[in-house]
Amino acid sequence: MSAMNKTTLLFIRKTMEQCSSCPGFYGAVLSSPDGLVLASSGQFDGDESAACASSLMVNTSSSLNQLASGGPTEMLIWGADRKIWNVSVLTGDYILLIAASDAAHTDMLRRMMTRTSDMLNQALRILV
């Protein structure tokens, strides 16, 4: 692996760790389009959370394509357990999922998603 890729992956890992500054942070995962974990932090680790993020986007896109062309680029999901899930498609069809443990922090979670997506998109352009 080239030094640029190692540096880029370190930048991605550090960016994911910064998500923990969001109040009520639960976890974050960056998934490849096919559901493999590229980076994670908080309570999300391993391929299970990455597969979930990918599945959310793929299945929702498939369902929405029946109504309109083009799938979603971002979703907010409120869970019965008061968790809030923010899922977004990034450069190269990578998928970012960030969750907070309390729906009262939806606005802060959304701002964290925007900031993190912007930073990761820069890094992903180098890897893609």
Side-chain angles (χ1 to χ4, degrees):
M1 183 179 295
S2 72
M4 178 60 84
N5 284 346
K6 287 181 183 179
T7 302
T8 303
L9 291 173
L10 179 61
F11 176 81
I12 289 170
R13 193 169 305 122
K14 293 289 186 186
T15 300
M16 296 295 289
E17 289 171 4
Q18 290 176 5
C19 291
S20 65
S21 67
C22 181
F25 174 75
Y26 183 78
V29 65
L30 179 61
S31 167
S32 69
D34 55 353
L36 299 175
V37 66
L38 184 61
S40 64
S41 66
Q43 297 297 312
F44 295 151
D45 57 355
D47 289 326
E48 186 175 289
S49 55
C52 175
S54 178
S55 178
L56 281 168
M57 273 302 176
V58 168
N59 292 332
T60 302
S61 292
S62 176
S63 295
L64 289 177
N65 278 336
Q66 297 176 22
L67 302 174
S69 63
T73 57
E74 184 176 5
M75 296 184 295
L76 279 170
I77 303 167
W78 284 261
D81 58 358
R82 299 214 16 99
K83 279 192 185 80
I84 184 84
W85 309 81
N86 197 174
V87 189
S88 187
V89 178
L90 306 179
T91 296
D93 291 331
Y94 284 90
I95 299 160
L96 177 61
L97 169 64
I98 305 175
S101 61
D102 189 345
H105 301 292
T106 303
D107 59 333
M108 296 180 102
L109 178 66
R110 179 71 180 84
R111 283 195 297 269
M112 178 60 67
M113 174 60 83
T114 300
R115 190 178 87 206
T116 303
S117 294
D118 290 345
M119 293 173 70
L120 290 175
N121 279 330
Q122 293 174 27
L124 291 170
R125 283 185 192 101
I126 294 170
L127 291 179
V128 175

